C-alpha cells in the first residue's frame, strides 16, 4: 500500500475518531445520539474561522471562545430538545427527531449568516500545511500534529472517566436508577456531558479547519463518518472509536486511490455494514450494554 | 432540621403511589423511629418495593405526605433524599457490575465532601463489618457472589452514614450462612444508631430481629405494631393466606449469585 495513502487515511481517521468520541461523551450518561453533532463540528470550524481569519483574534483566545460558545449551544440543545423528552420517558426515542431538528435549524441559520464560501484557516504558529518530504509521503507538519493531538485527547478523555465524576457517568450508563439511589444526579451529568460533548465537537471542527477548510457544508459528512466510527468502534468506547476512525479513514483513502471518486463513499458503507452485520455491537464490545 | 425526640424519623401519611397511571399504594401510612428495625412483610406484589421506591423518590407519591428528619420530602428528588440521610438498597442488588468493588464503594459517597480521615474511617468500618470485601477491592462487582454483592450494596449506603437504611429483600437468593451474616450486619448497624426499614420474605427471621412490623396486602397496610405482637397475631396469616412464615417466591427471579 502506498504509504502516502495510508498517512492521509490516518489523518482523516483521526478526525472521524474525534467526532465519534464527541458522540460518546454525550451518549454515556444520556443514551442519546446527538444527530446535531455534525453541525456542532461545523459551527466550531466556522466560529473559529471568523474569529481568527476575519476578526484577527489570537489563536488561543479564538479557540477558547469557540469551545465555550458551542458548548453553550450544546447545553441549550439539551435543555430544549433532549431533557423534556427524557423527562417523559427515559427509554423514549423522541430525541431522534428533536436532535435532527436541531441539526436542520443550525444548518439553516448558519447558511444565512455565513454564505457558502469556504474560509481558509491557517494552522497555529510553528505548524504548516506545506508537505514535508519524508520519503514518499507528502504529509504536512500540521497533519502529523493532528494525529498526535488526537491520541492525547483520547487519552485525556479516558482519564476523565477515571475520576469519581467520570465513574458516576459510567454508573448512570450502566444503571440509572441504581445511580439515583446513590445520590448521583443523572440530569446534572447529562447537562455537563452535553456541554463538554458539544465543546469537544467544536474542537474537532477547529482542528479539521486547516485541512478541510471551514465551510457550512462540513456537518453532514463528518456526522456520517463520525457516527460510523462510533458504531464500528462500539458505542461508548473511545479507544474503539479511535481504531474504527483509522479503519474508516484508511478504507476511504485506499478506496479513493483505487476507485473513481463516486465510489469511495460506497466502500466505506460496505465496510461499516459488513462489520455491523457480523458484530452488531461493534468491534470492541460495549462497556455500556445494559444488563438491567 | 431539629427533629423532636418524640417525632418519628420517617413518617409517611396516607401515601398513594404507583407506576405511571397504575396506582399500587393506597393511603399507606408508616412510621420509623430513630434507631429501630422496622420490618415490612406481605406476599409478592403487595406493594412493599413500591413503598420503598416512593419513600426514596423513585416513584413520586401522587397523594399523601412523607417527612424525614423533620423535612417534607414528598416531592424531593432522589439525590436530595439521599443527601438527607435516607438510603435505599434496592431489590436485586443493583450494583455497578463493571466497576471494581473499590469504585462501587467510592460511588457510595458521590458528591459528599469528606476529609481523608473521615473517608478512611468509613471505609474501615465497612471492612470491619464485611471483611470479605477488603479482599475483593480490585475485582469487578459483577464477579462477586450474591451474598458479597448484597454486602457491597449495603457498604455503598454505609459510605453516607445514613440515618435510615431501607433494605429490600437483602436475603433473596442467599445461602443460609450468608443470610445470617446479612442479618448480623443489620443488627450491627442498629447498634450504631442507624434505623432500618427492612422488606423481607424470611418473615419469621425478620420479625425476630425487628422492633416494629407492618403487614401489607394489595397496596395497603393491614396491620402494624410491635414485631412480637405481629408475629403472634392473625393479620400475618391473613396476609399470607395461611402459609404463615413461608418464603413466598413462586417464580425464580434474578439472584445475581
Ligand atoms: N414497573 C412497574 N410497572 C407497573 N406495575 C408495577 C411495576 N413494578 C411493580 N408493579 C406492580 O406493583 C404491584 C406491587 O409490586 P411490588 O414490587 O411493590 O410488590 P412487592 O411487595 O415488592 O412484591 P415482591 O415480594 O414480589 O417483591 C404489583 O402488582 C406489580 O405488578
Ligand atoms: Mg419487592
Amino acid at each position: 500500500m502506498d504509504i502516502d495513502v495510508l498517512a492521509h487515511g490516518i489523518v482523516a481517521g483521526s478526525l472521524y475518531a474525534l467526532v465519534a468520541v464527541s458522540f460518546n461523551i454525550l451518549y454515556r450518561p444520556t443514551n442519546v445520539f446527538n444527530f446535531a453533532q455534525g453541525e456542532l463540528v461545523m459551527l466550531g470550524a466556522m466560529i473559529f474561522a471568523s474569529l481568527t481569519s476575519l476578526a484577527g483574534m489570537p489563536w488561543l483566545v479564538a479557540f477558547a471562545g469557540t469551545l465555550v460558545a458551542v458548548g453553550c449551544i450544546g447545553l441549550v440543545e439539551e435543555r430544549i430538545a433532549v431533557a423534556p423528552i427524557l423527562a417523559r420517558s427515559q427509554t423514549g426515542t423522541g430525541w431522534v427527531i428533536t436532535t435532527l431538528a436541531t441539526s436542520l435549524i443550525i444548518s439553516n441559520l448558519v447558511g444565512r449568516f455565513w454564505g457558502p464560501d469556504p474560509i481558509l484557516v491557517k494552522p497555529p504558529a510553528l505548524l504548516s500545511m506545506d508537505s514535508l518530504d519524508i520519503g514518499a509521503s507528502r504529509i504536512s507538519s500540521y497533519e502529523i500534529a493532528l494525529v498526535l493531538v488526537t491520541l492525547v485527547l483520547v487519552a485525556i478523555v479516558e482519564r476523565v472517566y477515571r475520576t469519581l465524576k467520570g465513574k458516576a457517568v459510567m454508573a448512570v450508563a450502566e444503571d440509572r436508577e441504581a445511580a439515583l439511589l446513590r445520590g448521583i444526579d443523572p440530569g446534572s451529568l447529562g447537562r455537563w456531558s452535553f456541554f463538554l460533548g458539544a465543546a469537544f465537537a467544536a474542537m474537532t471542527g477547529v482542528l479539521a479547519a486547516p485541512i478541510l477548510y471551514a465551510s457550512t457544508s462540513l456537518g453532514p459528512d463528518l456526522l456520517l463518518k463520525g457516527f460510523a466510527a462510533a458504531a464500528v468502534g462500539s458505542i461508548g468506547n473511545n479507544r474503539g472509536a479511535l481504531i474504527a476512525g483509522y479503519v474508516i479513514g484508511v478504507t476511504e483513502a485506499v478506496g479513493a486511490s483505487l476507485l473513481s471518486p463516486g465510489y469511495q463513499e460506497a466502500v466505506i458503507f460496505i465496510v461499516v455494514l459488513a462489520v455491523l452485520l457480523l458484530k452488531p455491537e461493534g468491534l470492541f464490545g460495549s462497556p455500556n450494554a445494559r444488563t438491567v | 432540621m431539629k427533629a423532636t425526640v418524640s417525632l418519628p424519623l420517617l413518617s409517611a401519611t396516607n401515601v398513594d403511589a404507583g407506576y405511571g397511571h397504575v396506582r399500587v399504594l393506597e393511603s399507606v401510612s408508616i412510621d420509623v423511629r430513630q434507631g429501630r428495625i422496622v420490618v415490612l412483610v406481605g406476599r409478592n406484589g403487595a406493594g412493599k418495593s413500591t413503598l420503598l421506591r416512593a419513600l426514596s423518590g423513585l416513584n413520586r407519591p401522587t397523594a399523601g405526605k412523607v417527612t424525614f428528619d423533620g423535612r417534607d420530602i414528598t416531592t424531593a428528588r432522589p439525590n436530595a433524599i439521599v443527601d438527607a440521610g435516607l438510603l435505599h438498597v434496592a431489590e436485586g442488588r443493583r450494583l455497578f457490575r463493571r466497576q471494581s468493588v473499590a469504585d462501587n464503594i467510592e460511588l457510595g459517597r458521590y458528591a459528599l465532601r469528606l476529609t481523608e480521615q473521615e473517608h478512611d474511617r468509613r471505609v474501615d468500618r465497612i471492612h470491619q463489618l464485611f471483611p470479605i470485601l477488603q479482599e475483593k477491592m480490585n475485582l469487578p462487582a459483577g464477579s462477586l457472589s450474591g451474598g458479597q454483592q448484597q454486602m457491597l450494596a449495603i457498604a455503598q449506603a454505609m459510605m453516607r452514614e445514613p440515618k435510615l437504611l431501607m433494605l429490600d429483600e437483602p436475603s433473596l437468593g442467599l445461602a443460609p450462612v450468608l443470610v445470617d451474616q446479612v442479618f448480623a450486619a443489620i443488627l450491627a448497624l442498629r447498634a450504631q444508631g442507624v434505623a432500618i426499614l427492612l422488606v423481607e420474605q424470611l418473615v419469621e427471621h425478620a420479625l425476630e430481629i425487628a422492633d416494629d412490623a407492618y403487614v401489607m396486602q394489595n397496596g395497603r397496610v393491614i396491620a402494624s405494631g410491635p414485631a412480637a405482637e405481629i408475629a403472634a397475631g392473625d393479620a400475618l396469616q391473613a396476609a399470607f393466606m395461611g402459609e404463615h412464615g413461608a418464603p413466598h417466591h413462586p417464580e425464580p427471579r434474578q439472584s445475581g449469585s
Side-chain angles (χ1 to χ4, degrees):
Chain A
M1 197 189 302
D2 188 341
I3 189 85
D4 194 44
V5 170
L6 190 66
H8 284 98
I10 299 279
V11 171
S14 295
L15 290 176
Y16 305 153
L18 290 174
V19 179
V21 169
S22 79
F23 261 121
N24 287 341
I25 291 173
L26 263 143
Y27 176 82
R28 273 175 167 170
T30 57
N31 274 4
V32 166
F33 272 122
N34 182 18
F35 287 108
Q37 206 69 358
E39 299 306 324
L40 296 179
V41 174
M42 178 277 292
L43 269 181
M46 292 307 290
I47 293 174
F48 181 77
S50 305
L51 294 180
T52 52
S53 301
L54 307 180
M57 261 189 208
W59 199 93
L60 259 182
V61 177
F63 182 75
T66 303
L67 263 55
V68 171
V70 178
C72 290
I73 292 171
L75 198 55
V76 170
E77 182 192 3
E78 195 270 348
R79 292 287 80 202
I80 295 174
V82 178
I85 302 268
L86 293 185
R88 237 184 259 171
S89 157
Q90 274 304 316
T91 51
T93 46
W95 48 262
V96 174
I97 307 292
T98 55
T99 61
L100 272 175
T102 308
S103 171
L104 290 177
I105 290 168
I106 294 177
S107 84
N108 277 325
L109 288 181
V110 158
R112 272 174 217 188
F113 195 74
W114 270 295
D117 295 334
I119 308 173
L120 173 70
V121 176
K122 287 203 206 78
L126 302 179
L127 295 173
S128 107
M129 281 302 293
D130 301 337
S131 23
L132 302 168
D133 287 313
I134 320 170
S137 162
R138 293 190 315 280
I139 200 160
S140 69
S141 61
Y142 181 74
E143 288 168 306
I144 293 171
L146 174 73
V147 171
L148 297 177
V149 163
T150 300
L151 290 173
V152 172
L153 286 173
V154 172
I156 290 174
V157 169
E158 284 303 287
R159 187 89 197 80
V160 169
Y161 284 102
R162 286 202 288 277
T163 64
L164 191 58
K165 253 211 161 68
K167 285 170 185 167
V169 169
M170 300 313 284
V172 171
E174 185 173 342
D175 187 343
R176 188 173 184 278
E177 228 172 44
L180 277 169
L181 292 181
R182 270 70 178 201
I184 297 168
D185 178 4
S188 145
L189 293 176
R191 291 191 289 280
W192 269 106
S193 295
F194 258 82
F195 178 85
L196 293 174
F200 199 92
M203 178 169 62
T204 306
V206 172
L207 294 174
I211 299 174
L212 302 177
Y213 294 94
S215 103
T216 51
S217 59
L218 213 54
D221 190 49
L222 284 174
L223 175 80
L224 221 57
K225 288 171 191 159
F227 185 82
V232 168
S234 298
I235 304 297
N237 185 334
N238 289 328
R239 269 171 266 184
L242 184 64
I243 299 188
Y246 291 157
V247 169
I248 290 169
V250 170
T251 307
E252 178 185 41
V254 171
S257 73
L258 300 179
L259 304 167
S260 55
Y263 291 106
Q264 39 173 305
E265 308 274 295
V267 172
I268 296 174
F269 281 105
I270 289 166
V271 168
V272 170
L273 273 179
V275 168
L276 294 183
L277 281 175
L278 292 172
K279 290 200 74 177
E281 74 288 358
L283 289 177
F284 301 94
S286 170
N288 288 342
R290 303 231 142 186
T291 50
V292 184
Chain B
M1 189 59 222
K2 54 177 197 313
T4 328
V5 189
S6 61
L7 239 77
L9 179 60
L10 174 87
S11 187
T13 317
N14 301 328
V15 166
D16 287 4
Y19 303 84
H21 295 292
V22 184
R23 190 167 64 159
V24 173
L25 301 182
E26 276 179 61
S27 197
V28 170
S29 299
I30 74 162
D31 286 345
V32 178
R33 278 177 286 162
Q34 195 88 47
R36 313 270 283 195
I37 297 178
V38 177
V39 69
L40 191 59
V41 297
R43 27 185 316 149
N44 293 140
K48 307 178 297 292
S49 298
T50 308
L51 177 56
L52 297 199
R53 293 173 61 91
L55 298 176
S56 59
L58 290 181
N59 296 37
R60 189 171 283 185
T62 49
K65 186 174 175 186
V66 184
T67 60
F68 179 73
D69 201 17
R71 278 176 50 194
D72 185 341
I73 57 161
T74 317
T75 58
R77 292 193 305 172
N79 59 311
I81 292 173
V82 166
D83 287 341
L86 173 50
L87 270 282
H88 176 183
V89 176
E91 209 168 8
R93 304 184 262 280
R94 304 269 291 269
L95 297 167
F96 308 117
R97 306 169 68 86
R98 279 172 238 281
Q99 305 200 40
S100 69
V101 170
D103 286 348
N104 270 271
I105 290 176
E106 285 311 301
L107 283 167
R109 61 148 183 108
Y110 182 78
L112 212 59
R113 254 176 228 143
L114 300 176
T115 63
E116 208 177 310
Q117 279 163 312
E118 179 58 19
H119 172 270
D120 294 349
R121 192 182 65 76
R122 293 186 184 192
V123 173
D124 282 347
R125 254 192 174 176
I126 288 168
H127 287 157
Q128 269 168 30
L129 197 58
F130 303 121
I132 186 72
L133 293 182
Q134 190 163 11
E135 297 165 25
K136 311 259 177 182
M137 289 297 269
N138 296 319
L139 297 179
S143 73
L144 299 183
S145 74
Q148 292 160 358
Q149 289 189 10
Q150 188 61 56
M151 292 171 193
L152 179 53
I154 295 172
Q156 284 190 306
M158 283 174 67
M159 280 307 276
R160 284 189 187 262
E161 306 224 312
K163 298 188 179 87
L164 170 57
L165 182 58
M166 304 195 289
L167 300 171
D168 199 343
E169 303 200 22
S171 72
L172 185 63
L174 302 193
V177 55
L178 288 167
V179 172
D180 290 343
Q181 278 187 38
V182 167
F183 274 63
I186 293 171
L187 288 170
L189 286 168
R190 179 181 58 181
Q192 291 169 15
V194 182
I196 308 278
L197 179 54
L198 173 67
V199 170
E200 252 307 332
Q201 295 284 1
L202 299 178
V203 177
E204 284 178 357
H205 199 158
L207 285 171
E208 271 166 30
I209 66 162
D211 301 299
D212 305 302
Y214 287 83
V215 183
M216 284 188 74
Q217 191 174 32
N218 294 333
R220 294 170 173 277
V221 171
I222 59 163
S224 65
E229 277 177 29
I230 293 292
D234 300 337
L236 206 54
Q237 267 95 332
F240 287 98
M241 308 250 257
E243 294 172 88
H244 172 196
H248 274 264
H249 274 289
E251 80 278 37
R253 298 193 304 181
Q254 57 165 132
S255 71
S257 51

